[in-house]
Amino acid sequence: MSRILPRTSDYFSRSDYLQVFWLRRWESQAMLDSVGEETITPIGGLSQTMLRVPVLSPDGKPLMPTQPSRARRWIRDGLAVGKWSDLGMFYVQRVEQTSGEETQPIAVGVDPGKLYSGIGVQSAKATLFMAHLILPFQTVKDRMEQRRMMRRNRRGRRINRQLEYSKRAHRQQRFDNRRRNKLPPSVRANRQFELRVVTELCRLFPVSKIVYESVKARGSKSFSPVMVGQKVMLGWLSKLAPIETQLGYQTASLRTQLGLVKSQDKSSKTPESHAVDGVTLACSEFIKYKPFQTAKTHGHTWKGSVQLTHAAFVVIRRPPISRRQLHLMVPSKGGVRRKYGGTMTRHGVRKGDLVRASMDRRVVMGWVSGDTARQVSVSNCDWKRLGQFTASKVQLIHRATGLLVSRLHYLLVNGPSIA
């Protein structure tokens, strides 16, 4: 899970390796410096700023997050080592066993969707993490349709249509190949993507509860793919922590009670689009709508308390890398079909690797997205190409993790950024 520097090799000289080493060390210090200190000044009248750094024990057990100032002292005194998770979060791992490992309740809220999902991590005193997930639903669906079309064309080309129909080499009919109870590939990719992120969070925080929003059909409304695979997803999540489900109207009611506002633009890469519901679901572990009764009246009211604070917010997606194909679907001039897809390049790096590339005075950090005979293509988190760089000026920072994580922003739900 931690980001480890690559070993020196023939492709990467020792000077390049040292540059990457000092770059990662500088990033660790910059991360701790940018996280800021705990303060008691109210922001927007909503809560206080209480940013936290995840902590792991020497054997990898997640402990309660700590203040950035304390994490800096631990690293300075040699009591902890700074590392990076696959979600782009900086955390520290203690070198020696601590005297106490008691933890407080921490909940993870998951707001599933068809194209986008929201995830939030919350404790009673602070918001710890927010994420906006761009799901691979449409990409997988389009590729499955393309695969079906290519398969039909391939089978059609081997049939000699000069023969009569009874003598043609048609594939025999099979009627018992639809009995398995499986998820559609696009839905399975969505749920497995959400599971991957939640699993990484459970490795960083001592999660005591996972709250998952359940979707149900109402009246004559159209069917939603979000309804598919909920039972399977709950079974996967139950292996990580205790599960609790909540309906959409319950999430909306609690969101109103917390004073949060949800954006109508679901594609917006802000906490208000989907992460706000993830935080709301996590807050439901600390605030409950319970009945009450007195001598003169009775009813229901909200009981409990929770503090919403600034937290790390990231946008996460899968790298849209095409699987290796023998050739392109449409041949070029002369009937030549070149190879297409795959993750390997000709320059020692793979597609999805995090690299640092330079061109004249321009220096960028991004992910490998392709290559030519002498150059490497580097793209940003949105998979938009930043440029093509000479292979000798591309330095590997970390191998591909299967995730594209945007730069960390420390945001308050419905509030301004502080970093």
Side-chain angles (χ1 to χ4, degrees), residues 286-345:
F286 309 99
I287 299 181
K288 302 292 184 180
Y289 193 62
K290 295 183 178 181
F292 73 95
Q293 183 174 0
T294 63
K296 296 183 179 180
T297 184
H298 64 88
H300 289 74
T301 186
W302 294 98
K303 296 184 178 180
S305 62
V306 68
Q307 292 184 7
L308 300 177
T309 64
H310 283 85
F313 171 75
V314 294
V315 179
I316 309 175
R317 63 175 298 174
R318 292 275 193 191
I321 300 174
S322 299
R323 297 184 63 181
R324 186 180 65 85
Q325 300 178 14
L326 295 178
H327 52 72
L328 288 175
M329 185 169 57
V330 179
S332 58
K333 292 184 179 179
V336 179
R337 298 172 183 259
R338 67 176 179 86
K339 294 183 180 180
Y340 178 77
T343 59
M344 299 301 298
T345 66

Side-chain angles (χ1 to χ4, degrees), residues 184-198:
S186 55
V187 176
R188 176 177 288 272
N190 282 1
R191 302 290 85 84
Q192 288 180 341
F193 185 30
E194 296 167 353
L195 178 66
R196 167 73 187 280
V197 176
V198 175

Side-chain angles (χ1 to χ4, degrees), residues 25 91 118 146 190 261 263 272 283 298 300 326 328 345 353 387:
R25 184 170 180 177
Y91 68 96
Q146 182 184 22
N190 282 1
V261 179
S263 173
E272 289 76 20
C283 290
H298 64 88
H300 289 74
L326 295 178
L328 288 175
T345 66
D353 287 351

Side-chain angles (χ1 to χ4, degrees), residues 195 229-241 243:
L195 178 66
Q230 293 185 102
K231 184 177 180 181
V232 176
M233 183 64 175
L234 293 177
W236 292 341
L237 293 176
S238 63
K239 299 178 182 179
L240 302 176
I243 301 295

Side-chain angles (χ1 to χ4, degrees), residues 87-88 313-317 367 381 404-409:
L87 299 181
F313 171 75
V314 294
V315 179
I316 309 175
R317 63 175 298 174
W367 289 268
C381 182
L404 299 182
V405 184
S406 68
R407 179 179 177 271
L408 282 174
H409 295 276

